[in-house]
C-alpha cells in the first residue's frame, strides 16, 4: 500500500526497470504537456487550431478533453468524459452552423491497465439528414435555403430541415481490430438525435430545455448499470486570452506574477461555442481488476482518400466520395501539449500519433523550449528551471504522480490520468488550482493529509480547473519548490528549490484570466448553454 500525497491506494510505483524503460515515452509527452503548460502565461486555449494541418479541418479539431469523477449529486459512482470539437464557433455562424462531419470518426479512448494502449474506445459516427423542406412559390415547389423553417422546441421537430443524429459503439481492445458492439438507448435504439445549434431566441425560445431533451440514457455493452450520453453545442468552457499570449506574451511580469490581478484580462473566447461529446459511465465499467487509475484521450479520424465531384448532385454534402482506411488527424489528452510544447515540424505527427509511440517526441518534454521562450518574451533572463532533464514534468504528465494517479506498471505516454478511487468534490468546494492548489492551501506536501480536494488536474481534469495557471506553475518549477530538498513528492532529487530561479514566485504565475469565473453547470453535461445567434 502507498500513502504518498496522503492518498491511500494500491502500490502504483513502477519497478526501477519499468520506470527506466518508460521514461522516453513518459518524457515525450510529459514535456509536451509541461512545455505546453509553460507558455500558458497570458492565457491561451487548450487546443484550438494547434497544428498546421488541423487548421484546414475544423470539424475534426479537438478543442478540450475532460475526465473526472462525476460531482453531480447522486452520481458519485460515475465518471464523466467530455470531448469538445469545432473550436471558436461564432454563435451567429449561420445559415449552416456547425454540424459534425458524417465522414469522420470521433473517439474517446480509455487505457485501464497503464500500458499506453486503448482498452476501451467509444466511437461516435454522425449522420445529417436533409428533409428537403420546400415552399410553394407561384406554381413551383422550391427548396428553402435554411436548416430550419420555423420554431423548434423538441427533438426531431418537423420544422427542422436538417436533422443531425449519431451512433455510438464500444470497442474493447484495439480500436480497429477489437470487439465492437452498439451502445443502445431506449427500446434498443441504436441512433440518437442531436440538437440543432443555438440559432437564436426566435427559432429556439428555450434552448436549455430543448437541449436537455437530448440527454439520452444508454445501455453500455458489458455494463450492468446504464450511463448517459449528450452530443450538442455548448458554450466554450475554457478561459484564455488567445491573442496576447501568441503575441510573444504581450503582458507585463508585474501583472502575471500578482495574484490580485488574476482576472485582469478579458477571456477572449467568452463569446464562442464548441460542440460537446459527453459520456457519463459507471466507474465499474471503466476500471480493470484492482487498478483504480484510468487514462483517457480523444481522437478524430478521416478516410484515407477523397474524390471531389466537379458537379455534385443535389443533397447535403455530396461533393466528396471518401474511402480507404481511417487516418487519425486529431489527438488530445492533456491540454496545451501540441499547441505550445511540440515543435512546429512535429505538430501534425503528434496529432497522428498514439500514446504508446510518444518516445519519438521525448526531447520536447525533457528539454522544453517554452521556459526559454518565456525568458526571451518577458525579458526575464535566467528564469528557467535547471533540473534537466525535467523528470518532474515526466512524472506529472506522462506517468502520473506516485500515490495519486500513477498506475502500476505504467508506460510513459501522454494522456489524462484519473484515480477513480479519489472521491469527487462538489463544485463549490473545488480548488481551481487542483492538486497544486491543495499543496499550497495546506502549507506543503507534509500536510496533505488535511487536503480536501485531490480530485482535480493533473488528476484528471474538471471544467473548473485552471489548467493554464497550473501548467505555468509546473513548467516554471513550482512543483520542485514544493518537492523540497528531500524529494517529498517523488519528482527526483534534482527537483528541488535551488533548481528554480523564480523560487516561490513560481506559485504566483497566472495568465490574468480566471477559469473559475466561467459559467458552468453542476450536473451532466456540466457545460453551460451555448450562446444564441441573437442576444
Amino acid at each position: 500500500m502507498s500513502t504518498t500525497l496522503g492518498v491511500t491506494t494500491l502500490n502504483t510505483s513502477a519497478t526501477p526497470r519499468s520506470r527506466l524503460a518508460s521514461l522516453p515515452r513518459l518524457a515525450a509527452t510529459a514535456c509536451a504537456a509541461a512545455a505546453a503548460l509553460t507558455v500558458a502565461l497570458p492565457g491561451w486555449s487548450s487546443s484550438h487550431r494547434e497544428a498546421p494541418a488541423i487548421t484546414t479541418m475544423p470539424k475534426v479539431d479537438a478543442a478540450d478533453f475532460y475526465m473526472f469523477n462525476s460531482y453531480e449529486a447522486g452520481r458519485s459512482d460515475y465518471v464523466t468524459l467530455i470531448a469538445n470539437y469545432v473550436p471558436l464557433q461564432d454563435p451567429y455562424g449561420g445559415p449552416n452552423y456547425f454540424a459534425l462531419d458524417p465522414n469522420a470518426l470521433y473517439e474517446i479512448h480509455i487505457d485501464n491497465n497503464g500500458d499506453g494502449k486503448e482498452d476501451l474506445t467509444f466511437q461516435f459516427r454522425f449522420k445529417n439528414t436533409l428533409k428537403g423542406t420546400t415552399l410553394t412559390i407561384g406554381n413551383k415547389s422550391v427548396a428553402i435555403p435554411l436548416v430550419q423553417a420555423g420554431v423548434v422546441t423538441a427533438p426531431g421537430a418537423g420544422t427542422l430541415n436538417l436533422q443531425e443524429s449519431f451512433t455510438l459503439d464500444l470497442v474493447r481492445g484495439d480500436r480497429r481490430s477489437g470487439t465492437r458492439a452498439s451502445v443502445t438507448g431506449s427500446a434498443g435504439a441504436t441512433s440518437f438525435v442531436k440538437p440543432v445549434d443555438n440559432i437564436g431566441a426566435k427559432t429556439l425560445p428555450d434552448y436549455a430545455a430543448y437541449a436537455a431533451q437530448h440527454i439520452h440514457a444508454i445501455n453500455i455493452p458489458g455494463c450492468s448499470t446504464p450511463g448517459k450520453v449528450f452530443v450538442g453545442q455548448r458554450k466554450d468552457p475554457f478561459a484564455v486570452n488567445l491573442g496576447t499570449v501568441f503575441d510573444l506574451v504581450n503582458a507585463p511580469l508585474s501583472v502575471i506574477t500578482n495574484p490580485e490581478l488574476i482576472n485582469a484580462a478579458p477571456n477572449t473566447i467568452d463569446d464562442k461555442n464548441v460542440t460537446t461529446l459527453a459520456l457519463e459511465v459507471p466507474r465499474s465499467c471503466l476500471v480493470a481488476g484492482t487498478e483504480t487509475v484510468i487514462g483517457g484521450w480523444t481522437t478524430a479520424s478521416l478516410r484515407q482518400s477523397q474524390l471531389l465531384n466537379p458537379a455534385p448532385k443535389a443533397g447535403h454534402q455530396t461533393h466528396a466520395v471518401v474511402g480507404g482506411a481511417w487516418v487519425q488527424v486529431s489527438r488530445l489528452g492533456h491540454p496545451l501539449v501540441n499547441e505550445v510544447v511540440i515543435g512546429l515540424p512535429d505538430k501534425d505527427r503528434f496529432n497522428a500519433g498514439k500514446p504508446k509511440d510518444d518516445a519519438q517526441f521525448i526531447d520536447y518534454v525533457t528539454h522544453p523550449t517554452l521556459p526559454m521562450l518565456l525568458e526571451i518574451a518577458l525579458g526575464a533572463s535566467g528564469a528557467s528551471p535547471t533540473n534537466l532533464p525535467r523528470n518532474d514534468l515526466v512524472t506529472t504528465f506522462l506517468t502520473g504522480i506516485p500515490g495519486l494517479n500513477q498506475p502500476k506498471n505504467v508506460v510513459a505516454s501522454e494522456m489524462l490520468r484519473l484515480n477513480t478511487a479519489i472521491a469527487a468534490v462538489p463544485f463549490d468546494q473545488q480548488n481551481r488550482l487542483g492538486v497544486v492548489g491543495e499543496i499550497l492551501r495546506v502549507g506543503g506536501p507534509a500536510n496533505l493529509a488535511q487536503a480536501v480536494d485531490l480530485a482535480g488536474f493533473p488528476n484528471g481534469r474538471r471544467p473548473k480547473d485552471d489548467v493554464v495557471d497550473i501548467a505555468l506553475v509546473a513548467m516554471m518549477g513550482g512543483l520542485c519548490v514544493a518537492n523540497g530538498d528531500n524529494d517529498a513528492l517523488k519528482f527526483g532529487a534534482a527537483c528541488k528549490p535551488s533548481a528554480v530561479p523564480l523560487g516561490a514566485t513560481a506559485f504566483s504565475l497566472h495568465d490574468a484570466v480566471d477559469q473559475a469565473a466561467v459559467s458552468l453547470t453542476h450536473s451532466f453535461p456540466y457545460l453551460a448553454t451555448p450562446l444564441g445567434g441573437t442576444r
Side-chain angles (χ1 to χ4, degrees), residues 326-349:
W326 290 113
V327 176
Q328 182 180 305
V329 296
S330 180
R331 168 188 172 186
L332 182 59
H334 275 284
L336 308 171
V337 170
N338 202 6
E339 203 162 36
V340 296
V341 177
I342 303 297
L344 191 57
D346 289 320
K347 287 179 177 293
D348 291 336
R349 292 178 62 216

Side-chain angles (χ1 to χ4, degrees), residues 25-36:
R25 292 179 183 173
L26 293 174
T29 346
C31 241

Side-chain angles (χ1 to χ4, degrees), residues 101 103-107 123-125 176 299-302 326:
D101 190 348
N103 294 322
L105 177 64
Y106 301 83
E107 298 176 293
Q123 296 183 333
F124 295 79
R125 293 291 307 277
R176 299 293 174 260
T299 65
S301 301
L302 296 171
W326 290 113

Side-chain angles (χ1 to χ4, degrees), residues 361-449:
F361 305 113
I362 183 63
D363 290 346
Y364 293 122
V365 180
T366 56
H367 296 75
T369 60
L370 284 181
M372 182 65 73
L373 285 172
L374 284 175
E375 285 189 19
I376 297 170
L378 297 171
S381 178
S384 299
T386 60
N387 57 309
L388 298 173
R390 294 293 300 276
N391 189 58
D392 54 320
L393 300 181
V394 170
T395 300
T396 302
F397 301 106
L398 298 184
T399 63
I401 300 172
L404 179 71
N405 66 337
Q406 184 184 101
K408 56 181 176 287
N409 303 318
V410 66
V411 171
S413 46
E414 196 279 308
M415 62 180 73
L416 275 181
R417 288 187 173 86
L418 171 70
N419 189 338
T420 62
I422 296 178
V425 174
F427 181 85
D428 293 338
Q429 298 177 31
Q430 291 174 13
N431 193 319
R432 71 173 190 86
L433 291 179
V435 175
V436 172
E438 282 298 278
I439 292 175
L440 295 175
R441 190 185 67 81
V442 301
N447 302 320
L448 272 176

Side-chain angles (χ1 to χ4, degrees), residues 113-146:
N113 59 14
D115 65 356
K117 302 175 183 178
E118 67 272 10
D119 298 294
L120 304 170
T121 296
F122 294 93
Q123 296 183 333
F124 295 79
R125 293 291 307 277
F126 291 88
K127 181 179 181 180
N128 302 326
T129 303
L130 181 64
K131 294 182 179 178
T133 302
T134 62
L135 293 175
T136 301
I137 307 299
N139 61 353
K140 294 183 179 294
S141 181
V142 183
I144 68 170
L146 306 179

Side-chain angles (χ1 to χ4, degrees), residues 75 78 216-220 223 225-229 279-282:
R75 307 295 286 185
Y78 292 80
H216 305 279
I218 53 174
N219 302 304
I220 303 170
C223 185
T225 305
K228 292 181 181 179
V229 66
L279 287 165
E280 189 176 54
V281 182

